[in-house]
Amino acid sequence: MKILVVGANNFGQKHLSGIKGMEISIVERKSEVIEKTVEKFKIENVYSSFEDAIKDRFDIVDLVVPHYLHKEMAIKAMEAGSNVLVEKPIATTLDDGETMIRASKDYGVKFMVTDQYFFDPSVRAAVKFIKENRIGRINTIIVRDQRFFEHGGWRTDKAQMGGGALIDGGIHFLDTLLNFGGNYESIHGKSIHGGSILNGEDNTAALFKFENGTYGLFFYSWSYRNPPELPAFEIIGEKGSIYEDVKSRTSWEVGTPVRTVYGDLIVNGENANVKKYDVYTAEIMEFADSVKNNTEVPFPPELALRDLKAVLDIYKL
């Protein structure tokens, strides 16, 4: 299979390192990025223009580009006959996301959002344990992440992001919350600017009420200096609990043998010994398998649209 990765710097490096057994080409303009990438990942072709690149035939086009470009570039790749991966969020508006999903069906190609948090082994195991009623009826889910953002680039620009911290990093954690809690009935919360260099908001607190009666507490911040290490999630049930073991988190650095998002699971006080794997390899190669075998994609784009809706619902509050 042939894959085109559009944007080889920064997060593009993590995507490239997750690809196994495919011919890889890239779209990249920065000479220093091209130089470090070509040899490291055995790149077949380098293009300076996305439009020129998609004139050639690729089984998969993987878009690692600013949010506001997702819709336009994804549909162009679909028109060219390629199956499409796009970094989260699916788009900056629900209308754009819905248009992308319709286009994939119209052009008869596969379409998926790459969200490594959805593929994390601890998330998948926790969802399984919830379905098995391992901790009984769930009353509360807590999902949080706090850090301080001090980088430059397009993420500081509200227009290119479609918002601030919540639509970028926070959407990962909303995906985790919704995978545990299901459909929500209501949200009460607020996004504010708390003190980072972002143009958009950088601090969100929200209370979810799910259709099954569970409550979800959500906190996400890019304006928290020197934050404590706390479990990213806790699931509290009538017969027990599930939470993340912070101390067992792995590195995300390229070259790390096994990269996960969350640490191990502690279920009813004991380590669940979840089998780990590389989440970047999982998201890309499971998608490639769906293309090869003409099966459903592992992370349906409708779920990515669900995650975006939660972001936008909070923004409206």
Side-chain angles (χ1 to χ4, degrees):
M1 298 180 76
K2 296 174 65 177
I3 185 169
L4 175 72
V5 178
V6 184
N9 200 18
N10 297 326
F11 232 82
Q13 295 283 306
K14 292 181 172 60
H15 280 233
L16 287 163
S17 65
I19 298 169
K20 308 298 179 186
M22 286 194 273
E23 294 181 18
I24 307 172
S25 296
I26 62 172
V27 176
E28 182 58 55
R29 294 190 181 95
K30 295 180 180 177
S31 58
E32 66 274 16
V33 175
I34 294 170
E35 185 176 348
K36 76 176 182 180
T37 303
V38 168
E39 184 175 352
K40 185 176 183 180
F41 297 108
K42 298 180 173 57
I43 302 301
E44 294 285 329
N45 297 292
V46 177
Y47 301 87
S48 61
S49 162
F50 172 68
E51 285 72 18
D52 287 343
I54 59 174
K55 291 176 184 176
D56 294 334
R57 179 70 173 88
F58 291 96
D59 299 292
I60 297 171
V61 170
D62 180 14
L63 299 171
V64 192
V65 298
H67 305 165
Y68 77 104
L69 295 173
H70 287 185
K71 174 192 166 187
E72 177 186 353
M73 295 179 75
I75 291 177
K76 284 183 178 179
M78 293 172 189
E79 288 174 344
S82 294
N83 303 283
V84 174
L85 286 169
V86 62
E87 256 294 337
K88 58 75 209 152
I90 186 172
T92 58
T93 70
L94 293 178
D95 284 347
D96 283 358
E98 290 167 352
T99 298
M100 293 159 75
I101 293 172
R102 284 197 304 271
S104 68
K105 294 174 180 176
D106 291 343
Y107 290 111
V109 297
K110 304 289 184 185
F111 171 50
M112 192 183 86
V113 174
T114 50
D115 187 334
Q116 71 273 23
Y117 285 64
F118 178 86
F119 290 85
D120 184 80
S122 289
V123 170
R124 284 176 161 175
V127 170
K128 177 175 178 288
F129 294 153
I130 290 169
K131 290 179 178 178
E132 292 174 350
N133 201 35
R134 189 78 66 93
I135 62 171
R137 184 181 61 81
I138 297 168
N139 53 65
T140 308
I141 303 167
I142 303 168
V143 175
R144 64 167 80 81
D145 187 71
Q146 52 277 326
R147 60 189 71 191
F148 186 68
F149 183 88
E150 48 189 343
H151 309 289
W154 63 268
R155 281 183 167 80
T156 63
D157 185 78
K158 184 177 180 180
Q160 294 188 67
M161 286 270 275
L166 185 62
I167 199 171
D168 190 68
I171 199 168
H172 285 307
F173 293 88
L174 283 174
D175 179 74
T176 295
L177 176 65
L178 298 177
N179 288 333
F180 294 159
N183 296 325
Y184 59 87
E185 186 177 292
S186 63
I187 307 175
H188 299 278
K190 193 70 177 176
S191 289
I192 63 171
H193 194 275
S196 72
I197 63 172
L198 297 181
N199 295 144
E201 100 298 327
D202 57 17
N203 211 68
T204 296
L207 173 66
F208 284 71
K209 182 180 181 182
F210 292 97
E211 291 179 355
N212 58 16
T214 299
Y215 283 89
L217 296 172
F218 178 83
F219 176 69
Y220 190 74
S221 177
W222 277 5
S223 62
Y224 196 143
R225 291 170 170 83
N226 304 308
E229 281 198 326
L230 299 168
F233 60 80
E234 302 169 55
I235 309 166
I236 305 160
E238 61 181 352
K239 296 191 296 185
S241 64
I242 300 170
Y243 64 86
E244 181 218 13
D245 176 16
V246 176
K247 296 179 181 178
S248 61
R249 290 178 183 170
T250 62
S251 169
W252 282 13
E253 291 302 313
V254 174
T256 304
V258 176
R259 296 170 296 176
T260 59
V261 173
Y262 299 117
D264 293 331
L265 287 186
I266 304 299
V267 181
N268 296 328
E270 297 184 358
N271 193 306
N273 295 313
V274 175
K275 185 178 180 181
K276 294 183 178 180
Y277 51 78
D278 189 285
V279 291
Y280 295 98
T281 296
E283 64 181 356
I284 293 173
M285 298 313 298
E286 287 184 26
F287 178 76
D289 286 343
S290 75
V291 171
K292 182 179 178 181
N293 301 319
N294 193 27
T295 54
E296 294 298 316
V297 301
F299 180 38
E302 290 79 9
L303 291 184
L305 196 68
R306 169 204 68 178
D307 299 344
L308 176 62
K309 182 179 184 300
V311 168
L312 299 179
D313 283 348
I314 292 173
Y315 281 166
K316 288 186 292 188
L317 295 173

